[in-house]
Amino acid sequence: MSNQFKIKTEEPEEEIVEREEVADKEVKEGGVTVFFRKLFVEGVVSKETATGVLPYLIFLCVLGMVYIANSHMAVKNIREIDKLSKEVKELSSEYKSLKADLMFKSKMTEVAKKVDTLGIKELIEPPQKLVIENEK
């Protein structure tokens, strides 16, 4: 009878060893998924801690979105500044060319050429001063 007792006790030990071997094979086959399953279900992270950390994670997500939006706005502003500076340079050069053209056209010789077609001629003698005497 002692042999029967030993056989009965040895069988469960063999089953335990077989179960451990099967578990080891599962870990080796899908190591990443089993790791995360053990981590979240049996390990450090549980449902309570996950819900406790959830507001912090939401805050970090919102902060990241604000950071991304801020960088997009900065790039948009830089592009607009570049566009406006090019426009200012263009308008400045146009102003200078128009001013130079006006100065050229307002010279006395250029005005005389334009007015000559109307029959008006340039004065050769200097203008005369008119003096009005007061009657007292």
Side-chain angles (χ1 to χ4, degrees):
M1 286 206 183
S2 65
N3 285 343
Q4 289 176 354
F5 184 75
K6 285 184 181 179
I7 292 171
K8 288 181 182 177
T9 57
E10 288 178 4
E11 287 178 17
E13 289 176 11
E14 290 176 358
E15 290 177 14
I16 293 171
V17 171
E18 289 176 9
R19 289 180 191 166
E20 289 176 358
E21 289 176 359
V22 170
D24 289 339
K25 288 180 184 177
E26 289 178 4
V27 170
K28 290 178 184 176
E29 290 175 1
V32 176
T33 57
V34 172
F35 170 75
F36 283 115
R37 188 179 321 135
K38 284 188 176 183
L39 178 69
F40 291 121
V41 176
E42 303 167 2
V44 180
V45 181
S46 65
K47 290 179 183 177
E48 292 82 21
T49 56
T51 54
V53 177
L54 192 61
Y56 181 69
L57 289 175
I58 291 173
F59 173 72
L60 287 178
C61 290
V62 169
L63 196 62
M65 289 171 28
V66 167
Y67 178 75
I68 292 169
N70 188 26
S71 66
H72 283 294
M73 286 178 55
V75 168
K76 180 181 173 186
N77 285 339
I78 288 171
R79 287 181 181 164
E80 188 174 345
I81 287 171
D82 287 341
K83 178 182 157 189
L84 291 175
S85 66
K86 287 179 184 178
E87 187 177 346
V88 164
K89 286 180 183 179
E90 182 181 324
L91 290 174
S92 174
S93 64
E94 185 180 348
Y95 165 75
K96 289 176 184 177
S97 66
L98 288 175
K99 184 177 176 183
D101 190 38
L102 178 68
M103 293 298 287
F104 178 74
K105 288 182 179 179
S106 64
K107 283 184 181 177
M108 190 172 182
T109 55
E110 290 297 316
V111 172
K113 288 179 188 176
K114 296 278 184 185
V115 184
D116 191 31
T117 59
L118 299 174
I120 301 175
K121 295 187 179 181
E122 188 178 345
L123 288 178
I124 299 174
E125 53 190 54
Q128 297 176 357
K129 186 175 182 181
L130 300 176
V131 180
I132 300 176
E133 297 178 9
N134 287 339
E135 296 178 23
K136 281 190 184 182

